[in-house]
Amino acid sequence: MKILFIMYYPGYVRNLESVIRGLAERGHDVILGFNAPPRDPNDRLAEDLRGHYPNVSTCFVPNRGDRWQLTASFVRRCIDYLRYLDPAYDDAPALKARIAGRVPGFVRFIYSALRLHDSESRRRRMHRFLLALEQAIPTDREIDGFLRQTRPDAVVVTPLIDFDSKQVDWVKSAQAQGLPTCLTVYSWDNLTNKGHMRLVPDRVVVWNGAQRDEAVRFHGVPEERVVVTGAQTYDKWFDRAPTIAREAFMASAELDPSKPYLLYLCSSPFIGGTHEPELVRDWIAALRASGDPALREVGIMVRPHPQNARVWDSVDLSGFGNVSIFPHGGANPVDEARRADFFHSLYFSSAVVGINTSAMIEAGIVGRTVLTIRDPRFQATQEGTLHFRHLVREGLVRIADSIEDSVALSAQALAGELFDKERSAAFLTAFIRPHGLDVPATPRYVEALESLGSIRPRPPKRTPLRNALLRMLIAPAEWFGRLKAGKRATKAKKRPQAKGKASLDKKKRKGAAVSAKRGRGVVRLCGGVTRALGIESFVKGHVLPHLIMAALGDSKGGDSGMLAALESEIGRELDRVAEGDGPIIVGPWTSEVGFELLYWIPFVRCFAESRGVDPKRLFVVSRGGSRCWYGELADGGYLDAFDLQSVATFRSANETAWADRGLQKQVMASPLDDGLIAAAQERLGGEQAQVLHPETMYRLFSPFWSGKAGRDLVTRHSRSGGRLDLPPLPEGVTLPERFVAVRLYFRPSFPDTAENREAARRLVAQLAEHHSVVVLETAECYDDHDSLALGGLPGILRLAPPRAEGNLSFQSAVIARASALVCTYGGLAYLGPRYGVPTFGLCSERERVKLEHHLIALADPAARADIALFAPAALNGLLPEVLPALLVGNAD
């Protein structure tokens, strides 16, 4: 069989590794397709499987990107939200609040008005209606083509039930082509705290009877389609033995090997949030204040959750003595070394403590007592989640009703009085290995997937008339935009030519005035209606950009009336943000350096200056230490994303946002943006703040970037801030008196080719023969650009930021002190001129350079030096003649 797996990103291979190995060893062809890039740069499991098995391959698969994308997203979010109106979620406020924030307000209003919470029959009817809308959405042609080209015998998806899942389109296309489909439930909580299945596959593989019941009740899966195999992801822990002596492991964890230790397992960001360190500190303090000498001296190992490790970066527990945060940066057990550390942490501990995490299950398998502490700070994400109740109901965890009660339970656990082997075995039998503790789940899982070959699914019933009517109902935005654009094109063809220039100009001015008046009226009317219905943000983020671009037409000048209406509407929006004297959160900016320098900061400055906003009201949110670019605009405060999360976590979340939006530009707020805004609100002491988000700028400038409006659109709404402030150099960094700064990386205009590598190295070597050269490097990969390695070249000083989180600040400090900058043409090339540093930008693919950005950079009055574009070979011949004059001093 050829089996195509569709996974959200490569990290999902972790829980299916044993199944993939089993299928490959039985001779099946396995294709691992990923919707998004990896989140953990250390996760190479998929690549390792591909390298080990010749019949395993990996690839990135397309996501829906056609005109139905936004409509499909809206319908799926409505289905997701509907399931949380089930009374089973009445005691799960955190789950309900999380999904409520993902649907427009008018949807919540309609559901409330229909009293869907109070009536199961009304919920069923609404669900049938929404599923009919989902079925009316056509399949995606690109996905259809991928399946026809790949020709798998079965399509297996995981997790499928994410909020607004893109994998629904894969099930839809596979079913339309008569291919067997299967959902493999990824984790213990997926069926109760995520989205809805929407389209039911031919098979749903679950761990246990509890998940089978959840699939039937919450997702409407016919019971005969559900296969219970056991939890294959835990097979590897049952027969594992330690591979290191306890003393050696304790030494690596910096704990006293002469004392036992308690292991605290941290939870995910949704469960533990930023307050989990407070709970841990309170718990350890209670243990140390105990009258029991054993608790006063017991070792404490705190193991951060890999997705929430950042909250522990500034936590110091050394004052308690014999306490270790290990591993300090968190570690996802995706390779053998990390798995060994995780296992040894469990195995050598005396008991395990936590809030609500799947690692408690591994602790039960290893044979450790598991304790949890009820705490008001985590009530909503502990007992307020349905999956936590499995641990309680099946008897795995012992519950302390308070921190004080946990002290007594910890003492009992330390003395070995709490562990109940029969109770633990009962949980493992019910939840992990329902076919018997000695029966691994992986072989049954493999057999369940092999059985897909015997299924002959019937393609969905075709209802072309119903689908056509429903499509008209759910896609008015796309239909209206296409219709309006078609009418305008027809009128343009029929419009007679004016006889004289004066007459033409007069008609243009009159037509523009009338069009502007009508356009402003339409925008005002739509704005009022959408605000009243609570769908303003949804329309602005998902619908308005399409309508604007359709209305502006195909000509360079576009429809001046609609353009004026757009400027007028956004002007009023900015006026509302500027009202009052409260704080304004500016950002967060999480996108490219170039757009931040060229467009975003000048846009924010224009907003503040044109509306008389005191800069002390502005609270800027960005990343990488870019505070120095904002000058007085950040006088009200600055929050760096890297102060809240690691670079790897930030990049992973950003890549997820790119995949969700289909592009890097922040045309709509992402969950990453929402989290940073919430953190900014917290830094402001909870004071209610207005938000100036980049999506406003993107909506305003989109006609310029698409060629439908001239450069004056940008200049009308931008203000230059003069030369940038000189950022300080980090302590201990020394630079030559005069030097050339070099920062080279690959991008579409300068791709990673052998020719570009050789030309760039030759260029830097030539520079180093005659001048001091400082090569800027990065400690981590921050975005989708790979650096060019220049190691081994003599006579150059290679510098990387002391802290990865201050990368942009560090590079700015070096560039500002340089006599010239040689870099890849792109974001940093716009930075040099702002410091008065002549800049030479390298590009080998001139057609990939967007000249409109270059012209904006050249027109910036704050630029005190020029920026020029060169192919590497051309710059090789020019620099020896130009640089001596530049190195006399900075271009002031």
Side-chain angles (χ1 to χ4, degrees), residues 585 588 639 644 672-684 686:
I585 296 172
L639 174 64
L644 302 174
L672 171 63
D673 295 350
D674 295 339
L676 292 173
I677 291 171
Q681 290 273 21
E682 189 172 336
R683 290 287 179 93
L684 291 168

Side-chain angles (χ1 to χ4, degrees), residues 159-466:
L160 182 61
I161 40 65
D162 268 357
F163 296 124
D164 185 22
S165 175
K166 299 174 178 60
Q167 296 178 334
V168 177
D169 295 303
W170 284 90
V171 176
K172 179 176 291 189
S173 289
Q175 291 179 341
Q177 296 184 26
L179 298 173
T181 55
C182 176
L183 163 65
T184 63
V185 174
Y186 180 75
S187 186
W188 67 317
D189 61 349
N190 280 188
L191 293 174
T192 56
N193 77 344
K194 304 291 185 182
H196 197 274
M197 211 172 290
R198 307 170 195 92
L199 298 181
V200 177
D202 301 297
R203 287 284 185 273
V204 177
V205 181
V206 300
W207 295 1
N208 48 54
Q211 286 191 338
R212 178 192 58 214
D213 296 342
E214 291 166 356
V216 173
R217 177 182 176 184
F218 294 121
H219 298 272
V221 180
E223 190 168 348
E224 62 272 15
R225 295 194 188 187
V226 184
V227 179
V228 177
T229 62
Q232 80 295 335
T233 187
Y234 293 102
D235 280 350
K236 56 182 171 285
W237 303 113
F238 274 86
D239 301 318
R240 193 172 184 115
T243 57
I244 189 174
R246 180 180 183 276
E247 291 73 16
F249 175 73
M250 296 285 282
S252 67
E254 299 180 347
L255 288 175
D256 184 351
S258 66
K259 301 286 192 301
Y261 72 89
L262 300 174
L263 173 63
Y264 185 93
L265 293 171
C266 300
S267 297
S268 67
F270 175 67
I271 301 294
T274 59
H275 299 295
E276 192 165 19
E278 300 172 8
L279 172 69
V280 173
R281 189 181 294 276
D282 293 344
W283 172 63
I284 297 176
L287 295 180
R288 294 300 189 244
S290 166
D292 187 336
L295 292 182
R296 291 200 301 269
E297 299 177 356
V298 68
I300 305 291
M301 180 186 294
V302 178
R303 187 175 178 89
H305 191 284
Q307 296 176 11
N308 203 32
R310 188 65 179 175
V311 300
W312 292 94
D313 282 356
S314 59
V315 176
D316 182 7
L317 301 176
S318 60
F320 291 111
N322 201 20
V323 176
S324 172
I325 300 176
F326 176 83
H328 202 285
N332 199 353
V334 294
D335 56 41
E336 185 53 35
R338 294 183 178 201
R339 285 177 188 165
D341 268 348
F342 178 54
F343 174 77
H344 293 141
S345 300
L346 295 168
Y347 186 84
F348 292 124
S349 69
S350 296
V352 169
V353 184
I355 300 174
N356 180 6
T357 174
S358 61
M360 292 174 168
I361 298 175
E362 280 101 336
I365 295 172
V366 175
R368 296 296 173 265
T369 300
V370 181
L371 308 179
T372 188
I373 305 171
R374 283 195 177 105
D375 189 278
R377 289 168 287 194
F378 306 100
Q379 182 177 0
T381 56
Q382 189 180 51
E383 293 180 307
T385 60
L386 275 64
H387 62 278
F388 177 76
R389 300 170 195 176
H390 292 309
L391 302 180
V392 177
R393 183 173 58 247
E394 305 296 346
L396 176 66
V397 302
R398 305 284 184 138
I399 299 178
D401 290 325
S402 65
I403 290 178
E404 292 72 21
D405 289 346
S406 74
V407 174
L409 284 179
S410 298
Q412 291 179 270
L414 201 59
E417 299 173 2
L418 283 185
F419 183 70
D420 186 331
K421 188 174 182 180
E422 291 184 2
R423 178 172 172 163
S424 179
F427 167 80
L428 296 175
T429 302
F431 204 75
I432 304 301
R433 286 190 166 179
H435 300 287
L437 279 180
D438 57 345
V439 180
T442 296
R444 289 179 174 269
Y445 217 109
V446 171
E447 291 170 4
L449 297 185
E450 287 178 325
S451 70
L452 294 173
S454 62
I455 297 177
R456 296 293 177 265
R458 294 168 56 187
K461 183 179 179 181
R462 296 182 179 275
T463 54
L465 179 58
R466 186 190 73 170

Side-chain angles (χ1 to χ4, degrees), residues 794-808:
I796 65 172
L797 175 62
R798 299 166 60 191
L799 291 179
R803 293 178 62 252
E805 295 78 4
N807 177 55
L808 296 177

